[in-house]
Amino acid sequence: MKNAAALSGHQPTAVPALGAPVSAPAVTTSTGLAGSAAAEISTRDRVTQLLLEQGATTAAQLGAALGLSPAAIRRHLDAMLADGDVYAREQTVQGSRGRGRPAKVFLLTEAARVRCGTHHYDNMATAALRWIARSGGSGAVEAFATEQVSALESRCRTAMEDAGDEPLARAEALAAALTAEGYAANATTIASGGQLCQHHCPVAHVAAEFPQLCEAETAVISRLVGTHVQRLATIAHGDGVCTTHIPTQPSRVQSGNPVTTVRTDR
């Protein structure tokens, strides 16, 4: 959720919402192989968009979302694996599971994320933050990060005016506001409270070196939701999704209080 506009000088492009109707595959006519190739590229673009939005996703989930048979989605994934656009790993299963090996999930590689336009200005932003760190120390970087997310916080707060005071309802409103900003976010209710997931991070490489960006973002989420929150995972640290936990009965936090980024996946 980094303020990409402030760091890069342009507003990130919103990712199309999931569930939108998927057009039928192109029919090969007099254009022959050219039409077939265009259909292949179009389908791969849709797969890329879904992986950008959802993070780690199984072949079955991708096929269902796109209306493709298991054989068809496997063919596209095999081609993307060969081209270095995706990689596979075993699905993490919470609690007990049935017999057999867990299903594989697929994620975009860093090279594919770059082509999605997520890191165009990483080198310049990283160089600028290194200069700030050398000149003013860690505190200066923290102040810079806080200032960069302030405009986004203001826009999201305006969009959440009618969300009420209940933290989980506010998390849902925040997810909608972030999605409108192009960050492909969603909020869900889980046994221990709520969970806010962000599937798009335009400055992940910069945040990997300067965690102050993630910490400033976590503080913004806490203030907007109105509770203490815990950051469980980030794209900047190699996870497929930025995940923030919202406890069931959290203590209220006031604007300006420090919020610590807590990773529980390691």
Side-chain angles (χ1 to χ4, degrees):
M1 195 189 73
K2 317 301 178 300
N3 190 338
L7 289 178
S8 66
H10 72 281
Q11 190 68 21
T13 302
V15 179
L18 287 174
V22 178
S23 59
V27 178
T28 303
T29 59
S30 59
T31 57
L33 293 178
S36 177
E40 292 284 328
I41 294 172
S42 178
T43 301
R44 286 181 60 162
D45 286 344
R46 295 191 185 103
V47 173
T48 299
Q49 288 179 348
L50 285 172
L51 290 175
L52 184 64
E53 287 187 347
Q54 297 186 169
T57 310
T58 66
Q61 291 168 334
L62 289 168
L66 294 172
L68 296 175
S69 68
I73 192 63
R74 283 288 181 183
R75 177 166 53 82
H76 288 293
L77 288 171
D78 286 345
M80 295 176 75
L81 282 165
D83 291 343
D85 290 338
V86 301
Y87 66 97
R89 71 183 186 199
E90 287 191 351
Q91 185 177 32
T92 301
V93 179
Q94 301 295 333
S96 60
R97 60 179 178 85
R99 294 180 178 179
R101 298 184 64 180
K104 285 187 177 181
V105 293
F106 296 85
L107 302 94
L108 290 179
T109 62
E110 288 302 318
R113 287 181 181 274
V114 168
R115 288 196 296 276
C116 289
T118 58
H119 306 298
H120 286 320
Y121 293 86
D122 279 1
N123 290 340
M124 182 178 295
T126 301
L129 284 170
R130 287 171 181 166
W131 185 90
I132 291 173
R134 289 195 303 270
S135 301
S138 178
V141 176
E142 292 175 8
F144 175 84
T146 299
E147 182 175 329
Q148 297 315 296
V149 297
S150 63
L152 181 62
E153 178 178 0
S154 178
R155 293 195 300 273
C156 288
R157 190 177 298 279
T158 298
M160 296 169 60
E161 286 181 347
D162 299 326
D165 296 327
E166 204 280 319
L168 297 185
R170 292 191 64 79
E172 292 180 351
L174 175 56
L178 291 175
T179 297
E181 293 278 344
Y183 302 119
N186 69 281
T188 56
T189 300
I190 58 177
S192 58
Q195 188 165 275
L196 177 70
C197 294
Q198 301 151 245
H199 304 279
H200 184 63
C201 178
V203 290
H205 287 174
V206 184
E209 182 172 344
F210 295 96
Q212 294 94 332
L213 293 171
C214 290
E215 291 163 5
E217 172 184 309
T218 306
V220 165
I221 293 173
S222 179
R223 290 194 294 269
L224 290 174
V225 173
T227 75
H228 170 72
V229 300
Q230 289 183 324
R231 177 61 61 84
L232 305 182
T234 63
I235 295 172
H237 284 86
D239 303 299
V241 180
C242 294
T243 305
T244 304
H245 179 242
I246 304 163
T248 302
Q249 294 180 331
S251 58
R252 296 282 177 173
V253 297
Q254 300 298 321
S255 177
N257 284 354
V259 178
T260 302
T261 297
V262 180
R263 289 180 57 81
T264 62
D265 58 332
R266 293 183 179 178

